């Protein structure tokens, strides 16, 4: 029965139609920030509040920035009593859902920093969604000690 419904939707062109995708660039991203890094450190993290104000789910898969070689989505989690972080290859954000990228939760990991991040510096970051769309944001670097 379920299959039959799916097939009829396919016949109508309602499944897999690009018209039903929410575009990553329509995501509401506020207050993007990062911390200044010491010269010996070659990784950084970016935090922000992300809200999917569109009517469709979106799936974040990573990103890119001129300040580092690689950008990954990470989540803090306990493993064997130790706090670690996990590389998330896909983070789905439901329509209307707010996701906090902040210390202790999700963060965008910058791996292979090309230069130390300096306080007051602003750098661009593109968040990549599974459908190929991107959300470009600007990240403000804060001092190391808050
Ligand atoms: Cu991380």
């Amino acid at each position: 029965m379920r299959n039959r419904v799916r097939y009829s939707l396919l016949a109508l062109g309602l499944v897999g139609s690009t018209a039903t995708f929410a575009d990553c660039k329509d995501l509401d991203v506020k207050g993007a920030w990062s911390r200044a890094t010491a010269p010996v450190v070659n990784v950084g993290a970016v935090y922000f509040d992300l809200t999917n104000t569109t009517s469709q789910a979106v799936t974040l898969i990573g990103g890119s920035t001129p300040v580092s070689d690689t950008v990954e989505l990470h989540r803090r989690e306990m493993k064997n009593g130790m706090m670690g972080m996990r590389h998330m290859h896909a983070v789905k954000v439901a329509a209307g859902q707010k996701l906090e990228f902040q210390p202790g939760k999700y963060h965008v990991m910058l791996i292979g920093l090309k230069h130390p991040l300096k306080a007051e510096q602003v750098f661009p970051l593109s968040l990549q969604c599974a459908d190929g769309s991107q959300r470009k944001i600007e990240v403000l670097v804060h001092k190391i000690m808050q």
Side-chain angles (χ1 to χ4, degrees), residues 74 85 107 109:
H74 282 193
M85 54 193 185
H107 56 274
M109 196 88 197

Side-chain angles (χ1 to χ4, degrees), residues 36-44 112-117 144:
T37 58
V40 291
V41 176
N42 71 346
V43 294
L113 284 177
K114 292 168 183 170
H115 305 283
L117 298 175
I144 293 178

